[in-house]
Amino acid sequence: MIRTMTIEDYDKVRALWDSIKGFGIRSIDDSYDGVKRFLKRNPTTSIVAEEDGKIIGSILCGHDGRRGCFYHVCVDEGYRKQGIGNQMALAAIEALKEEKINKVSLVAFKKNAVGNTFWKELGWDLREDLNYYEFTLNESNTTKFV
């Protein structure tokens, strides 16, 4: 079942994230309180895939009123190649359209061959005409790779 994520899903979603090799988890942003804040701001756009009470996929999805963004898109390794990622992406896109958002982006680590292949196969465009910059406002928000 594909459905909207709620904060009650956090523990199961976090367990999924912790099981994905190479997954980057931020100490503050991906904590219970960080995800709760994100879902409060974006209550209808994040998606989970669930089977028999187990979360087997997730997308954190939000927008700023102009552009949507996908974060932490993943499917449990045992459930891949079944169209679950595609279904979740389509559900998140539909939720963004309901909010009148016309474009969505995501960041995939260059080393993430599985993810990069997935997005290319779905028809997403790799932007090579821009540089991605970031500036850390809170040094305590460190990233741990699983």
Side-chain angles (χ1 to χ4, degrees):
M1 171 185 4
I2 306 296
R3 63 173 176 78
T4 303
M5 180 181 174
T6 68
I7 194 58
E8 288 76 23
D9 296 315
Y10 177 79
D11 289 336
K12 291 178 182 180
V13 169
R14 180 59 190 256
L16 173 65
W17 294 347
D18 287 337
S19 75
I20 304 291
K21 185 175 173 22
F23 210 75
I25 300 173
R26 291 194 177 268
S27 57
I28 296 173
D29 294 339
D30 297 327
S31 69
Y32 177 89
D33 289 337
V35 172
K36 184 177 181 180
R37 186 173 49 253
F38 184 87
L39 294 176
K40 182 179 179 186
R41 180 179 167 90
N42 301 281
T44 64
T45 52
S46 292
I47 303 296
V48 293
E50 183 177 23
E51 182 174 276
D52 297 325
K54 178 182 179 183
I55 300 294
I56 58 171
S58 71
I59 297 178
L60 280 182
C61 175
H63 69 84
D64 60 9
R66 179 180 171 130
R67 180 179 299 234
C69 192
F70 285 2
Y71 306 91
H72 290 350
V73 179
C74 63
V75 174
D76 182 288
E77 194 170 335
Y79 293 86
R80 292 181 184 164
K81 302 290 185 187
Q82 298 178 33
I84 295 166
N86 186 33
Q87 291 174 47
M88 289 191 312
L90 290 173
I93 287 168
E94 286 304 313
L96 289 170
K97 286 180 179 179
E98 289 288 320
E99 305 253 347
K100 306 285 191 250
I101 302 301
N102 298 306
K103 196 165 207 170
V104 61
S105 62
L106 61 90
V107 174
F109 291 114
K110 288 189 180 283
K111 292 181 182 179
N112 182 355
V114 171
N116 285 298
T117 299
F118 173 78
W119 295 114
K120 287 177 189 175
E121 287 176 355
L122 286 186
W124 286 56
D125 297 319
L126 175 63
R127 297 282 306 259
E128 296 187 35
D129 61 329
L130 52 82
N131 294 319
Y132 177 81
Y133 293 92
E134 67 177 36
F135 186 83
T136 300
L137 300 175
N138 184 342
E139 295 293 333
S140 298
N141 192 27
T142 60
T143 302
K144 174 188 92 174
F145 289 94
V146 179

